[in-house]
Amino acid sequence: MNSWILLRGLMREQRHWGAFPAQLAQALPDTAIITPDLPGNGQRHAMRSATTVAQMVEFCRADLRARGVPAPWSLLALSLGGMVAVEWASRYPAEVQRCVLI
């Protein structure tokens, strides 16, 4: 199964995607749509925020492994999420199938 990982920007959480994840899932029925919150935001608001983009990448990778979601992943990213996606693709190119940066 293909997986799209949707990454939001600074001080944003998965709820800020609104109806988009459901619409994307409808358009791509054989695809898992995953909207992780970065530490310090959304469901992870009680966690200490990462202080570097590299730490955010490592957090996302660990989160996906804990969920049992196999690579490669497609990343759709907005704002700070775009910086995370670029760093991820740079550090771990075999894990990132594609990036869509907004």
Side-chain angles (χ1 to χ4, degrees):
M1 173 179 278
N2 295 324
S3 297
W4 276 92
I5 314 305
L6 280 54
L7 301 170
R8 287 296 309 213
L10 184 64
M11 302 303 292
R12 296 289 184 224
E13 61 180 284
Q14 59 184 283
R15 289 183 304 152
H16 286 103
W17 286 110
F20 180 70
Q23 293 168 339
L24 186 60
Q26 187 174 21
L28 304 171
D30 295 327
T31 302
I33 308 299
I34 301 164
T35 56
D37 284 329
L38 294 172
N41 298 287
Q43 294 177 345
R44 298 191 169 108
H45 68 276
M47 295 177 73
R48 181 177 291 249
S49 295
T51 57
T52 68
V53 172
Q55 289 173 343
M56 294 174 199
V57 169
E58 296 308 325
F59 178 85
C60 290
R61 294 177 71 238
D63 179 51
L64 292 171
R65 284 192 305 271
R67 295 178 193 224
V69 181
W73 301 295
S74 297
L75 308 178
L76 187 147
L78 174 69
S79 189
L80 175 62
M83 293 171 63
V84 173
V86 168
E87 181 75 9
W88 196 340
S90 175
R91 287 176 175 254
Y92 306 101
E95 293 181 359
V96 178
Q97 187 171 18
R98 66 181 63 90
C99 290
V100 176
L101 308 175
I102 303 169

